[in-house]
Amino acid sequence: MGDGELGPVILPRTPSLRLDGKHAFVAGASSGIGLGAAMALGEAGADVTLAARSTERLEAIVVAMREAGLSARALPLDINDVEASEMAVTASGPFDILVNSAGLARHGPSIETTAADFDAVFGVNVRGAYFLTRAVAKGLIRSGRPGSLINISSQMGHVGGIDRAVYCATKHAIEGFTKAMAIEWGSLGIRVNTICPTFVATPLTEQTFANAERARWITEKIKLGRVARVEDIMPAILYLASEASAMVTGTSLRVDGGWTAG
């Protein structure tokens, strides 16, 4: 090769979104975003363990997924029970991927918040999520494996919302411990991130959308002019679970239709 000649062109290749050979754990997998996560991971080739409290519903979903050619198994579990959750994760893991979609909401004016409601929502959304994330990470650390841990947070982890003081507080807390865990475990190849959806059309949000005034407020805040579907969240889950996001940790992926941009 003479002076001034260029070397051979080496083209970069997009990292794969496939998850073949990976083991995934999805909490809150019986409906909504959790079910969407299980499907997204399963379609990409992962072996998916679906966890939720509803045994019959879980079993029906697993049967349907297997009939669709996907690898899935059911694990009845309440993440409120921290010790049982850690034992189940230890016995079934290690898991390369965690999607924690289990959550609880009890909305109302902050002046009317009861201690019981506060404790219940924090128990699932913060305490349960924290220790479930830690349990999966401990399995990865013991086995010397990297992994991707994803907590389903919310746009309300970055802004406030009407009648959502407790819910917002829990989602802000998730954002905080996600960043701290990402810093602690980054050198081990364990990535920790959140996904922050806007309002998603699921059975859990039907009551909110039934209020015409509240529904109007929501659609006005979402710059794309519509609420999200579960299918809008699934590609974000796949991205963070895969090697396509190998350099992404300690951050939040906002699938909020522009809500937090305004």
Side-chain angles (χ1 to χ4, degrees):
M1 186 171 61
D3 292 343
E5 290 185 39
L6 297 175
V9 175
I10 300 176
L11 299 175
R13 303 296 297 272
T14 303
S16 176
L17 291 166
R18 293 293 304 174
L19 300 172
D20 302 285
K22 301 294 186 180
H23 296 273
F25 185 97
V26 180
S30 61
S31 64
I33 295 173
L35 175 55
M39 281 299 298
L41 300 176
E43 288 174 331
D47 176 45
V48 186
T49 296
L50 291 80
R53 292 178 298 175
S54 176
T55 303
E56 291 185 8
R57 171 72 173 167
L58 273 185
E59 293 289 355
I61 292 169
V62 166
V63 169
M65 289 181 67
R66 288 176 176 173
E67 289 176 348
L70 308 181
S71 179
R73 67 195 68 189
L75 179 62
L77 186 70
D78 182 354
I79 70 166
N80 245 328
D81 190 334
V82 169
E83 291 185 0
S85 295
E86 181 152 354
M87 289 175 61
V89 168
T90 300
S92 304
F95 294 99
D96 305 290
I97 300 160
L98 165 68
V99 178
N100 175 38
S101 187
L104 180 65
R106 294 184 182 176
H107 301 315
S110 56
I111 199 73
E112 298 175 6
T113 301
T114 66
D117 284 345
F118 184 98
D119 290 343
V121 178
F122 263 82
V124 175
N125 293 5
V126 181
R127 184 173 179 270
Y130 183 101
F131 286 103
L132 181 62
T133 306
R134 189 188 73 166
V136 176
K138 285 170 73 173
L140 290 171
I141 292 168
R142 281 194 297 266
S143 61
R145 292 162 66 165
S148 176
L149 314 182
I150 305 164
N151 281 304
I152 303 299
S153 179
S154 170
Q155 65 187 15
M156 296 300 173
H158 300 273
V159 296
I162 298 170
D163 292 344
R164 282 165 170 75
V166 176
Y167 185 77
C168 288
T170 64
K171 295 304 184 178
H172 276 73
I174 289 172
E175 296 298 320
F177 78 65
T178 292
K179 291 180 176 65
M181 289 176 175
I183 292 169
E184 290 186 24
W185 303 331
S187 63
L188 303 174
I190 299 172
R191 300 184 294 109
V192 196
N193 293 287
T194 65
I195 293 176
C196 299
T198 187
F199 286 84
V200 181
T202 70
L204 293 178
T205 57
E206 287 178 355
Q207 185 176 357
T208 297
F209 296 129
N211 182 321
E213 181 180 349
R214 193 57 50 80
R216 184 168 55 252
W217 171 71
I218 290 169
T219 53
E220 287 175 353
K221 294 283 285 184
I222 299 173
K223 308 306 182 291
L224 293 179
R226 68 168 177 87
V227 299
R229 299 181 295 266
V230 168
E231 291 82 358
D232 293 316
I233 316 302
M234 292 166 68
I237 292 167
L238 180 56
Y239 167 70
L240 286 180
S242 73
E243 287 302 307
S245 61
M247 199 61 182
V248 180
T249 195
T251 193
S252 58
L253 179 50
R254 305 185 197 184
V255 189
D256 68 355
W259 183 298
T260 60

